[in-house]
Amino acid sequence: MKKLIVLIALCLSCQVFSQTDEDVLKQIYKTALVDGKSYTWLETLSMDIGGRLSGSLNAERAVEWGKAELDSLGLDKVWLQPVMVPKWVRGAKEFAYIKAGSGETTNVNICALGGSVSTNPLGVTASVVEVKNFEELKALGEAGVKGKIVFYNRPMQADLINTFSAYGGCVDQRYMGAVEAAKYGAVGVIVRSMTLNIDNLPHAGSMTYEDLPVSKRIPSAAISTKDANLLSTMLKLDTSLQFYFKQNCKQLEDVKSYNVIGEITGSQFPNEYIIVGGHLDSWDLGDGSHDDGAGIVQSMEVLRLFKTLKIKPKHSIRVVMFMNEENGLRGATEYAKEAKAKGEKHVVSLESDAGGFTPRGFSFDCTEASFNKILGWKPLFEPYLIHYFIQGGAGADVRPLKTDTNITAGLRPDSQRYFDHHHAANDTFDAVNKRELELGAASMTALVYLFDTHGI
């Protein structure tokens, strides 16, 4: 009789602890939505620290905050990984106006692009030539460009449903615009902001001079879409108008910063790593809440949910807060370099760097065999309205970790509103919906759980 009771008790115990994938995912989503911490974390990162441009005091404060929060989770390891990062400062607020042939001036909204040189102390005044692409610029040549300000006015393509494709289709004018314009003797560059919205907010972002000598470098600024439309219209009516802008930015010497890393050590494969992450730095105009505060707190929440739900992973799970994605990718480069030097095997690397909006699914850079296995998990996500599983690119910070056999991936939220806020002053905490942010964190946790449980 005693043996029978013991046997029944053992069977009941097995039933209690034998959970299906559906059961675990249900617990993950419930805990994230009812008892999540990502939104509270984001409030602190956004409201108490704010914009976190690499090399800034706020970036330093964010590193300290990130390490303290990971320490509080009781992870097996938490550490800082040193990395040298660029330090570009915006300086006093930029100022610009359009001056009509009549002498009347109209103020417009601009911001210096990251990495740009300043204007001279008095600013730059010149006539304007408008182009849509580098081919039009080349056709004008030195005769049409020298001594003028080049105005790049190619908008994002509105009929593309994937707004990241629309962004990719026109961001070259922001990044390479100064290099191309300088070839023909331009004295400055004004670039239409990378957003589908028509508003008064200029959007920052990085630009390059490549190997241009310092003496050939010209100031480069973004102009709001509403003011870009105004400038374009005024040019059609008055080709003699001039544009004035003044900016005070400066590139300083590199400074030391850090990636922030935390780990739960795997029970079966401690030397095989699944990482989740985002970039801790942001542009300085807003709070960096969507780009990429959301990705940071969602990644932190993955490890917190594992701890809270007492899920003991087979593989080592790391959260990595990468520094300097926005204007250098130094943190990602350093992390990958050190991982390679140590012979670390990163089997899956997942990044969230597309905003804190409603999650739709994931993109995967992987083999066909791995992708087919992942597709077998789609039914598990259907109750949570996650349906978008594609083979494609992953986040910029995990890309350096890609090998022929591993998987890099990116969370793919709905992108329709993302570029309303991207790199602009309205990328603030109030623009992030609590529930949408938590759903993203839960989706990442669910995917990491499935990778850890079933392998690749």
Side-chain angles (χ1 to χ4, degrees):
M1 187 66 178
K2 287 183 179 179
K3 288 183 179 180
L4 181 60
I5 292 172
V6 170
L7 184 61
I8 292 172
L10 286 172
C11 289
L12 288 173
S13 176
C14 290
Q15 288 175 357
V16 169
F17 292 102
S18 178
Q19 293 182 306
T20 65
D21 290 336
E22 291 89 343
D23 293 333
V24 176
L25 263 63
K26 187 178 291 185
Q27 290 181 2
I28 287 171
Y29 276 91
K30 180 179 179 179
T31 306
L33 293 169
V34 175
D35 189 29
K37 198 168 180 181
S38 58
Y39 193 69
T40 302
W41 274 330
L42 184 62
E43 183 176 19
T44 301
L45 185 59
S46 299
M47 303 294 285
D48 293 351
I49 298 175
R52 306 168 296 280
L53 194 57
S54 289
S56 67
L57 176 61
N58 277 2
E60 184 179 331
R61 292 174 62 206
V63 167
E64 295 170 354
W65 168 84
K67 184 178 185 303
E69 290 299 329
L70 293 185
D71 280 334
S72 73
L73 296 181
L75 306 179
D76 296 315
K77 300 176 185 176
V78 177
W79 70 100
L80 300 180
Q81 182 181 57
V83 57
M84 297 301 292
V85 300
K87 183 178 178 65
W88 178 84
V89 295
R90 183 173 301 281
K93 183 176 171 57
E94 305 84 350
F95 179 68
Y97 59 76
I98 303 167
K99 184 177 182 180
S102 63
E104 183 180 356
T105 61
T106 304
N107 291 354
V108 293
N109 299 282
I110 68 162
C111 70
L113 291 174
S116 177
V117 296
S118 64
T119 60
N120 66 61
L122 297 178
V124 173
T125 303
S127 55
V128 179
V129 56
E130 178 181 353
V131 296
K132 292 290 195 297
N133 50 52
F134 297 149
E135 290 73 24
E136 289 185 9
L137 181 71
K138 184 178 181 180
L140 289 170
E142 187 172 322
V145 174
K146 189 172 183 178
K148 297 180 181 179
I149 293 171
V150 172
F151 169 39
Y152 291 102
N153 192 32
R154 183 167 81 255
M156 289 174 63
Q157 190 175 334
D159 61 341
L160 294 178
I161 302 304
N162 184 338
T163 61
F164 280 88
S165 295
Y167 176 75
C170 65
V171 74
D172 63 331
Q173 60 191 330
R174 186 194 78 199
Y175 190 69
M176 291 293 297
V179 170
E180 295 299 319
K183 291 178 182 178
Y184 306 105
V187 296
V189 164
I190 299 295
V191 184
R192 183 187 184 92
S193 285
M194 304 290 111
T195 176
L196 288 157
N197 211 14
I198 304 300
D199 59 24
N200 286 315
L201 298 173
H203 290 235
S206 61
M207 54 80 64
T208 186
Y209 291 113
E210 292 195 321
D211 55 358
L212 271 180
V214 174
S215 62
K216 298 288 186 182
R217 297 180 180 184
I218 57 177
S220 185
I223 186 171
S224 74
T225 50
K226 184 174 284 189
D227 288 327
N229 289 347
L230 174 65
L231 178 57
S232 181
T233 300
M234 291 180 69
L235 277 169
K236 290 178 176 63
L237 298 173
D238 181 4
T239 57
S240 68
L241 67 74
Q242 292 192 315
F243 193 90
Y244 168 86
F245 73 111
K246 184 178 185 298
Q247 56 192 41
N248 304 279
C249 43
K250 185 181 295 185
Q251 188 74 51
L252 304 175
E253 293 295 320
D254 289 356
V255 299
K256 182 186 283 189
S257 189
Y258 302 89
N259 294 326
V260 185
I261 307 168
E263 177 183 309
I264 301 173
T265 304
S267 59
Q268 295 184 32
F269 311 106
N271 297 318
E272 294 186 5
Y273 301 94
I274 298 174
I275 73 166
V276 289
H279 61 87
L280 190 54
D281 62 304
S282 75
W283 287 105
D284 55 324
L285 299 179
D287 298 336
S289 297
H290 276 297
D291 187 20
D292 185 30
I296 287 294
V297 299
Q298 287 172 332
S299 300
M300 294 166 66
E301 182 75 337
V302 172
L303 274 70
R304 192 193 73 87
L305 288 170
F306 265 72
K307 294 286 288 183
T308 299
L309 296 172
K310 295 180 171 53
I311 301 171
K312 299 187 183 301
K314 299 176 182 178
H315 305 78
S316 291
I317 312 293
R318 280 183 184 170
V319 56
V320 185
M321 304 182 198
F322 295 99
M323 182 55 70
N324 184 233
E325 186 272 347
E326 291 292 5
N327 59 337
L329 213 65
R330 301 276 188 90
T333 303
E334 184 64 26
Y335 181 86
K337 177 183 174 182
E338 189 168 312
K340 184 177 181 180
K342 291 180 176 179
E344 293 180 346
K345 185 177 181 181
H346 285 68
V347 291
V348 179
S349 300
L350 169 63
E351 182 167 13
S352 171
D353 184 19
F357 299 101
T358 302
R360 299 299 188 199
F362 304 91
S363 61
F364 302 91
D365 189 353
C366 62
T367 65
E368 197 69 32
S370 292
F371 186 62
N372 287 334
K373 183 172 184 177
I374 293 165
L375 289 179
W377 299 336
K378 280 187 72 173
L380 293 169
F381 286 95
E382 286 176 2
Y384 310 101
L385 305 182
I386 303 298
H387 62 276
Y388 185 69
F389 287 69
I390 63 163
Q391 274 187 285
D397 288 300
V398 299
R399 199 176 299 136
L401 293 166
K402 186 73 185 82
T403 68
D404 292 337
T405 57
N406 70 1
I407 295 173
T408 55
L411 177 69
R412 294 299 167 213
D414 189 289
S415 71
Q416 303 313 311
R417 291 173 289 152
Y418 181 63
F419 290 98
D420 293 354
H421 304 274
H422 183 251
H423 297 178
N426 64 344
D427 185 5
T428 50
F429 178 67
D430 61 294
V432 179
N433 177 274
K434 179 176 182 290
R435 188 171 179 83
E436 291 178 338
L437 182 74
E438 292 167 344
L439 285 168
S443 299
M444 291 172 68
T445 309
L447 183 67
V448 169
Y449 165 78
L450 292 170
F451 272 129
D452 179 63
T453 303
H454 301 289
I456 64 169

